[in-house]
Amino acid sequence: VQLVESGGGLVQAGGSLRLSCAASGNIFSSNAMGWYRQTPGKEREAVAALISRSSTYYADSVKGRFTISRDNAKNTLYLQMNSLKPEDTAMYYCAAWNTDYVPRGGGPDYWGQGTQVTVSS
């Protein structure tokens, strides 16, 4: 399985970015997938995830501003980020699980290499 992120960059506060994650290998439209982010010195945190066939997860800090979606025909996961804030600055990682749900307490099985998002004030 390979996950390749793109779409990061530098944006002013209040702006928008859309991250993409192209998945290849043994990944199907039903696999649970999500986005994490990490800043230096801090633990990687979950931002948003398609945690089952009908449920999504959003961190409280991004609710109402970020939207996760997938295009099964393109095997691509997206993260639309609006109303960006300087505190959203981080390396963003795409993640996938072998299952069609996120196991309680279970971390992802696969990670992308990350794409940097920097939000200036």
Side-chain angles (χ1 to χ4, degrees):
V1 173
Q2 189 173 21
L3 304 174
V4 179
E5 302 98 332
S6 62
L10 174 64
V11 64
Q12 287 189 332
S16 298
L17 282 174
R18 188 177 78 158
L19 305 184
S20 299
C21 171
S24 60
N26 199 29
I27 283 286
F28 300 98
S29 60
S30 58
N31 284 76
M33 296 187 73
W35 291 94
Y36 284 69
R37 67 186 180 187
Q38 188 172 26
T39 54
K42 293 188 177 181
E43 289 190 1
R44 196 170 294 190
E45 63 171 352
V47 175
L50 301 173
I51 59 176
S52 73
R53 293 176 184 261
S54 59
S55 297
T56 55
Y57 163 84
Y58 291 99
D60 288 343
S61 59
V62 307
K63 281 181 181 176
R65 301 188 298 122
F66 290 12
T67 303
I68 187 172
S69 63
R70 71 195 300 168
D71 184 333
N72 293 328
K74 296 182 179 179
N75 243 13
T76 300
L77 183 73
Y78 300 101
L79 184 67
Q80 178 66 44
M81 306 186 294
N82 298 328
S83 302
L84 283 161
K85 304 176 181 180
E87 50 263 44
D88 294 318
T89 295
M91 184 71 78
Y92 283 72
Y93 296 91
C94 178
W97 285 260
N98 280 323
T99 50
D100 61 357
Y101 65 95
V102 176
R104 185 176 295 276
D109 297 296
Y110 309 102
W111 293 96
Q113 83 289 349
T115 185
Q116 178 68 38
V117 171
T118 303
V119 184
S120 63
S121 57

